[in-house]
Amino acid sequence: HQWLDNYDVSGVGPDFDEDTLARLDADSNHELDRQAGHGTFVAGIILQQAPAASVRVCSVLDSNGVGDDASVVAGINSLLKSDEEVDILNLSLGGYTHDNLPPVALRELIAKLLSKGTVVVAAAGNNADSRPFWPAAFKRVIAVAALARDGQSAAPFTNHGWWVDACAPGVELA
């Protein structure tokens, strides 16, 4: 989209080539995978609300939305290598652990960011579940659940629980 012309949202530079396409269509069925472009979409929503924001996007999951805490931590660390301060870190991702305890590496990195004054926001998840969804379930992370089309009630798919802090529109966004 034209709002994203000045941003490297794909993480690969200005050229869209066969390697980039392969990342977005991992099963080679000539259709974008389920999560392909999700980060670009979120960046666009952020820029709608804050057009002067400096947005940097880092892919840490594959195009089906699969990854692990090590890849998430590595991606966040790659963003932190620049001299720019990170005011807000948005993590539109998450997952569960077998024991419902926080992933250690992610816990340590988020604690470090919070100590530097970075605000961390994370998706509450889309499984209609109350199990802690990490990283949203960290106490000092702002966990955001989805509102239904009416803007008043929770979307039927959104996660919920003691750890959810806020709700935002989550259905039929443009």
Side-chain angles (χ1 to χ4, degrees):
H1 190 278
Q2 63 195 14
W3 290 336
L4 302 173
D5 284 347
N6 297 322
Y7 299 94
D8 179 15
V9 295
S10 67
V12 297
D15 300 321
F16 190 83
D17 57 18
E18 292 300 317
D19 290 335
T20 304
L21 181 58
R23 281 196 359 231
L24 301 176
D25 181 20
D27 56 6
S28 301
N29 68 351
H30 304 289
E31 294 180 9
L32 290 179
D33 295 332
R34 185 168 184 250
Q35 298 299 323
H38 178 72
T40 302
F41 176 76
V42 171
I45 295 293
I46 291 168
L47 289 169
Q48 277 183 334
Q49 300 303 312
S54 173
V55 175
R56 290 180 286 157
V57 176
C58 178
S59 296
V60 296
L61 305 177
D62 70 18
S63 60
N64 288 307
V66 177
D68 57 27
D69 56 330
S71 64
V72 173
V73 167
I76 294 169
N77 276 326
S78 74
L79 290 175
L80 300 176
K81 289 181 182 176
S82 75
D83 290 334
E84 275 185 63
E85 288 185 26
V86 177
D87 296 321
I88 301 170
L89 175 65
N90 178 64
L91 299 167
S92 297
L93 53 80
Y96 302 105
T97 58
H98 292 292
D99 53 11
N100 292 328
L101 295 175
V104 175
L106 201 50
R107 180 186 68 210
E108 296 302 315
L109 180 57
I110 287 176
K112 177 181 168 184
L113 288 166
L114 292 169
S115 73
K116 291 181 176 186
T118 300
V119 174
V120 180
V121 180
N126 297 331
N127 300 306
D129 199 347
S130 63
R131 281 181 67 194
F133 192 74
W134 305 102
F138 286 108
K139 291 189 186 287
R140 293 184 53 209
V141 169
I142 300 170
V144 182
L147 290 173
R149 185 178 315 142
D150 65 12
Q152 302 297 315
S153 58
F157 56 81
T158 198
N159 284 355
H160 52 277
W162 59 265
W163 45 273
V164 173
D165 302 296
C167 295
V171 177
E172 296 182 12
L173 301 176

